[in-house]
Amino acid sequence: MNWEFIFKDGLIAGIQGIPVSLFVTFVSMLIALPLSFLCAMGRFKRVPVLSQLITVIGSFLRGTPLVVQLFIVYSGFPSLLNVLVQRNGWDFDPFGISPYVFAFVVFSLNVLGTLTEVFRSSLSAVGKEQTEAALSVGLNHFQTNCLIVIPQALVSAIPNICNEFLNLFKSTSLVYMMTIQDILGKVRLVAAEGYDYTEAYVVIAVIYFVLGFTMEKLFQRMEGNLKTYKAAPQV
Amino acid sequence: MIAVKNIKKSFGSNQVLKGIDLSLEKGDVVVILGPSGSGKTTILRCINFLERADEGQLTIGDMQVDLKHASSREILKLRKRTGFVFQNYALFANKTALQNVMLGLTVARKMPKAQAEKIAKAALDRVGLSERYDYYPSQLSGGQQQRVGIARAVALNPDVILFDEPTSALDPELIGEVLGVMKQLAHEGVTMIVVTHEMSFARDVATNVIFMDGGVIVEQGKPEEIFDNPKEERTRQFLKRILLEDEAESQIAQAREKAREAQQIS
């Protein structure tokens, strides 16, 4: 074991990569959250056509490996675009698109597939009687959803959102394949000099664990704050 | 005045209501009795449009609508004139007792918050929950939850409150407090339609008792007439069975009490 690498070069490189990993994670999540909620509402309300479309796309996104999705978008999409560019004579270089754009597209779509199901199941977990009660006191459907159904659904979705968030955070380590220098990319880069790959992956594992553990705790605290109405002891 | 005429409702091929007429004046307490599956609950749910009837007319005060074709605006307007008390309480889980009662006032009726709070507190005081304003439903007992449910309906000052088996989900020792509140409301002149199996309530409080079976009204009249002198065979059988069940239940309760005492002694 090259301890010096672990505690010095490797660790420093890894820490430098943290902002990149977090950036990709947060942006993808922020794109996916509202979209998947809308998709879930579409499924929940059984909006015709839209609902079926979401189901099929969702199954595809959940049923194909992330690496495959990544390569389809990263290498397939620019080539496809290039054909169009050449045919129409546009002044645009499809191979110059930032890999971050592809990362955001792939990861947010991938999370969208699972988060839609998370939101849909938590929406349907809110009892029908909650809606009926709200209607019976004179609320319309929009008010009922905004004030009663959605707030309850969101709270019960938090643990699953946390899971998805952690999964996404870990998955973003694949961005090194698109030349983005995240935690994994940076550490591997410095490891190449002395061939310290074993050490490199130990460093990477530790960094991911510390960050992942912190996120989990933060989510738990948030859930605790939001679900006071459930955790309350019987009197 | 509240009147429903000729309500019909089927679920699939099963016709649950086969043309029911019902009418009551301000201050009346109508109790609907009948075996389960006879369509009692469906009547209430149709009046509040939680279920869409296949046919029928509803009149509340000066408003008259066709139950089947009512527009969503009419439904909203009618719902503001009726209150509903659910069998399983159906309190908003993410709201405190006070917020539960206030919601219909502030959101649906656009009442200023301060005024709504005053009314909501008064309603909760009326059902004996002055100490529980800021408790969430999960912190309240079944009886307390149902009393909040009643307060939520009362606070809206509706033309009629519909009670759908309000005590059926309660432990026997908690039924009394809820029935007590309902009796008090009846004495204060609140108009109600109550679906229940509580015979003592029907006998003491009802101005009119309706016995239903198989989707039709079999018999109706003053409580004395129905209980002491039922004309129809089906009514007689139903009452007999309920009385037997009540008796059996009280015997079980007594036996349980005895067993508990015996345990304490040993």
Side-chain angles (χ1 to χ4, degrees), chain B residues 101-253:
Chain B
V101 182
M102 280 173 66
L103 198 72
L105 297 169
T106 52
V107 179
R109 287 158 187 78
K110 309 278 177 243
M111 189 183 278
K113 216 168 167 189
Q115 193 189 349
E117 192 173 314
K118 222 171 116 191
I119 293 177
K121 281 185 173 165
L124 284 169
D125 295 346
R126 220 164 144 187
V127 299
L129 290 173
S130 321
E131 312 288 314
R132 295 284 183 274
Y133 293 157
D134 298 322
Y135 284 58
Y136 284 101
S138 62
Q139 296 170 297
L140 298 171
S141 73
Q144 291 171 334
Q145 287 189 56
Q146 192 56 296
R147 284 189 278 153
V148 175
I150 294 174
R152 181 170 67 179
V154 168
L156 306 174
N157 194 23
D159 292 9
V160 59
I161 301 182
L162 312 168
F163 289 82
D164 180 16
E165 305 203 24
T167 56
S168 299
L170 290 171
D171 289 339
E173 69 265 29
L174 299 178
I175 290 176
E177 59 185 81
V178 172
L179 287 182
V181 167
M182 289 168 62
K183 274 184 193 170
Q184 173 204 326
L185 290 179
H187 289 311
E188 288 166 11
V190 176
T191 316
M192 346 198 240
I193 304 179
V194 185
V195 169
T196 185
H197 289 295
E198 294 298 327
M199 294 301 144
S200 65
F201 178 82
R203 193 185 266 275
D204 299 347
V205 182
T207 46
N208 204 8
V209 175
I210 291 176
F211 173 68
M212 273 184 75
D213 193 12
V216 294
I217 292 178
V218 175
E219 191 169 352
Q220 58 179 314
K222 300 266 162 259
E224 314 76 79
E225 293 165 14
I226 300 284
F227 286 111
D228 302 333
N229 196 12
K231 291 185 188 64
E232 299 288 330
E233 181 57 30
R234 270 194 282 180
T235 319
R236 265 194 289 265
Q237 278 179 358
F238 173 76
L239 290 173
K240 210 159 107 191
R241 213 182 64 224
I242 289 284
L243 285 178
L244 278 175
E245 275 169 19
D246 278 358
E247 211 169 293
E249 228 162 69
S250 68
Q251 274 173 4
I252 291 170

Side-chain angles (χ1 to χ4, degrees), chain A residues 173-202:
Chain A
S173 59
L174 291 173
V175 292
Y176 87 94
M177 292 196 278
M178 303 195 295
T179 70
I180 296 177
Q181 296 293 316
D182 71 326
I183 300 174
L184 190 81
K186 287 245 193 246
V187 181
R188 271 173 57 100
L189 202 67
V190 292
E193 290 163 28
Y195 216 73
D196 301 309
Y197 282 113
T198 314
E199 289 83 350
Y201 286 114
V202 171

Side-chain angles (χ1 to χ4, degrees), chain A residues 128-130 132-141 143 147-149 151-152 228-235, chain B residues 45 48 76 79-80 82 84 86 90-95 103-104 107-110 135-136 138-139 152 156:
Chain A
K128 209 177 99 205
E129 84 283 352
Q130 296 282 320
E132 289 185 345
L135 295 177
S136 83
V137 297
L139 269 58
N140 61 32
H141 282 276
Q143 293 163 335
L147 296 169
I148 303 299
V149 179
Q152 291 184 38
T228 38
Y229 69 86
K230 273 189 196 165
Q234 282 279 332
V235 179
Chain B
R45 291 175 61 84
N48 213 19
L76 214 56
R79 278 197 184 127
K80 286 180 189 171
T82 54
F84 203 102
F86 293 83
L91 296 184
F92 308 126
N94 56 337
K95 306 272 175 200
L103 198 72
V107 179
R109 287 158 187 78
K110 309 278 177 243
Y135 284 58
Y136 284 101
S138 62
Q139 296 170 297
R152 181 170 67 179
L156 306 174

